[in-house]
Amino acid sequence: MNEDDVDRLDRNRRHFLTVATAVTGLAGVGAASIPFLASFKPSARAQALGAPVEVPIGSMQPGEMVRVLWRGRLVFVLRRDETMLAKLQENLDQLRDPNSEVVEQQPNYTANETRSVRPEYLVVEGSCTHLGCAPLEDFEVRPAESWNGGFFCPCHGSKFDLAGRVYKGVPAPTNLRIPPHRFVRDDLILIGQDTGAA
Ligand code: FES
């Protein structure tokens, strides 16, 4: 065997080892993936179809907000305290649609003063009705700025009150959208499903 033959043999051996390792690796990945995909696929499909999302609210304190995803959309659940609820009666003349008259923005059972099924709990999509940015919560009351707390969109400055009602003079044309939802129990909200009534 000359030097060229040794070289070629060595190259062939290295190639075999590389392919063998890759095949073993793929077999391992395949075997490990099957139960994972099998167990997660229905849930992923259900999510894509818009399966309802349960939100436990039993431990939420007044003034606290949680964020959840439903159909890939951000949803805010805010437990409003007494002061927050009282503020909803103020600044009405500064709001574009204080009485929720744009019917597409909420189920009819939330077209009320608080835009909610139960006044204490606001369930609202966290998507600005201008171009879809996520508004930020800003619950600090600042009378000098006529700000009673609510949501502020950092993209182009749209403002919404503590019921997701849009202020006049901002780019967002409508109130934040309220998703269908219902109370399964006092401590559990289901987003994405309702009974058509509060
Ligand atoms: S996306 Fe919110 S103000 Fe433009």
Side-chain angles (χ1 to χ4, degrees):
M1 195 179 284
N2 62 28
E3 209 169 297
D4 279 354
D5 289 338
V6 171
D7 240 20
R8 194 168 52 248
L9 197 62
D10 200 35
R11 273 204 309 276
N12 285 345
R13 188 166 170 275
R14 277 206 306 271
H15 177 71
F16 169 78
L17 284 174
T18 305
V19 170
T21 306
V23 169
T24 308
L26 281 174
V29 168
S33 299
I34 289 166
F36 179 81
L37 289 175
S39 59
F40 279 85
K41 207 169 181 180
S43 152
R45 190 188 303 131
Q47 286 291 329
L49 291 173
V53 173
E54 290 185 341
V55 185
I57 54 170
S59 61
M60 283 184 74
Q61 298 304 306
E64 194 178 330
M65 188 177 93
V66 297
R67 296 168 178 76
V68 296
L69 278 181
W70 167 66
R71 291 186 172 178
R73 301 183 210 167
L74 182 62
V75 177
F76 300 148
V77 178
L78 168 64
R79 183 174 176 187
R80 294 176 289 207
D81 60 25
E82 290 299 324
T83 308
M84 289 170 148
L85 286 170
K87 293 290 179 195
L88 295 182
Q89 310 303 321
E90 302 174 10
N91 293 352
L92 294 182
D93 58 333
Q94 296 177 31
L95 303 175
R96 188 171 282 157
D97 181 14
N99 300 315
S100 298
E101 289 171 15
V102 180
V103 295
E104 300 82 28
Q105 294 312 104
Q106 62 280 309
N108 58 9
Y109 51 83
T110 60
N112 50 44
E113 289 186 331
T114 58
R115 301 190 77 219
S116 60
V117 174
R118 296 186 186 180
E120 208 174 351
Y121 290 96
L122 173 70
V123 179
V124 70
E125 289 190 22
S127 174
C128 179
T129 53
H130 180 219
L131 295 176
C133 286
L136 304 172
E137 71 271 28
D138 180 358
F139 300 152
E140 187 188 340
V141 176
R142 295 186 294 277
E145 301 170 29
S146 295
W147 180 247
N148 278 343
F151 302 90
F152 170 75
C153 182
C155 292
H156 311 95
S158 289
K159 295 187 294 181
F160 307 87
D161 78 349
L162 288 162
R165 296 178 295 188
V166 68
Y167 277 79
K168 292 175 181 170
V170 301
T174 55
N175 295 341
L176 296 179
R177 187 182 289 266
I178 307 272
H181 64 280
R182 67 185 176 89
F183 282 76
V184 179
R185 302 189 304 259
D186 285 348
D187 62 351
L188 188 68
I189 295 176
L190 192 63
I191 297 175
Q193 192 184 83
D194 59 23
T195 55

